[in-house]
Amino acid sequence: MKTEKYYYQDMQASRLFARVVEWLPEKRTLVLDRTIAYPEGGGQVADQGVIVWAGQQVRFEDVQKRGGFPLFHEAFPAINVGTRVLHSIAEDDVAGLAGLQPGDGVEVCIDVERREQLSLSHTASHVVFMALEQLRPTLVEGLIGCSIRQGAARFDFLVEERIELAEVAAFEQRCAELVAQDLAVRLFPLEGHDEAWYWQAGDCVMPCGGTHLPSIGAVGPIELSRKRLGKNKERLSMRFPQPHYDLSRYHPAV
């Protein structure tokens, strides 16, 4: 049984009622019929939060997707769909779910500040991607990895020519110009597939299943720095010192 990924339906929600599918206390693993908690993927680390059951709160420290089957589509990168989502319960909190059974109702509550910061970092990484695509598209072609965390993100590249400091300044300037446009962010699924998603801002469209802010202007200034990782390998790191976001946009349970 796959888990319904409710975070795709509403990225502004903070709480969600769900039913238990499986609880494995020895593995500290809880599977629900649906969840609002975003699992690690696409370089973005997972949500954290609490599960509320029988008047108790227990923490989940990690969320991962498992199982499913590959989706092969000519217009979309290969991904696994139909997955189950596993919530990893904090070791000290396992006893709080003693007696939990399949079918029991629980409430999933995410750490909204963490989600907001991760959404900001992910949205900002797309702004940087847009800037690179416009100013040095060979970098985008050589992208080999990314990491998206609270307050920071990074891209790793294979390059023939290293990234120069003057280029970093030019990338920052282009990011500032894009942020100033404050383009709305649109998220939409591949037709006929509710787990394969696209990200769009203006004319830029790319596959992405992460969480995002409603507009690119919300990320504020983007600071970039580069580091040489070895022969033909470069890293571009990002910081967001003055984001323009508002936690009040999150709303109660659904």
Side-chain angles (χ1 to χ4, degrees), residues 37 42-43 76 96 126 134 156 192 208:
F76 204 90
H126 280 268
Q134 293 173 14
D156 292 340
C208 182

Side-chain angles (χ1 to χ4, degrees), residues 153-170:
R154 69 171 188 260
F155 288 147
D156 292 340
F157 309 94
L158 285 176
V159 298
E160 293 185 4
E161 298 180 6
R162 70 176 304 168
I163 301 172
E164 301 295 340
L165 289 177
E167 285 186 291
V168 175

Side-chain angles (χ1 to χ4, degrees), residues 109-173:
C109 307
I110 63 170
D111 180 334
V112 294
E113 184 173 355
R114 177 184 174 87
R115 163 69 73 80
E116 185 78 2
Q117 292 172 347
L118 290 171
S119 297
L120 186 148
S121 294
H122 206 148
T123 304
S125 73
H126 280 268
V127 175
V128 174
F129 188 96
M130 292 168 69
L132 299 180
E133 200 167 43
Q134 293 173 14
L135 299 180
R136 187 173 166 181
T138 54
L139 280 180
V140 173
E141 296 167 4
L143 183 65
I144 57 174
C146 68
S147 175
I148 297 166
R149 313 186 72 82
Q150 293 171 273
R154 69 171 188 260
F155 288 147
D156 292 340
F157 309 94
L158 285 176
V159 298
E160 293 185 4
E161 298 180 6
R162 70 176 304 168
I163 301 172
E164 301 295 340
L165 289 177
E167 285 186 291
V168 175
F171 297 155
E172 275 194 1
Q173 178 59 35

Side-chain angles (χ1 to χ4, degrees), residues 22-36:
E22 187 175 29
W23 165 230
L24 301 174
E26 67 282 2
K27 295 183 178 180
R28 298 190 287 118
T29 298
L30 177 64
V31 182
L32 305 173
D33 64 343
R34 61 180 189 156
T35 189
I36 198 173

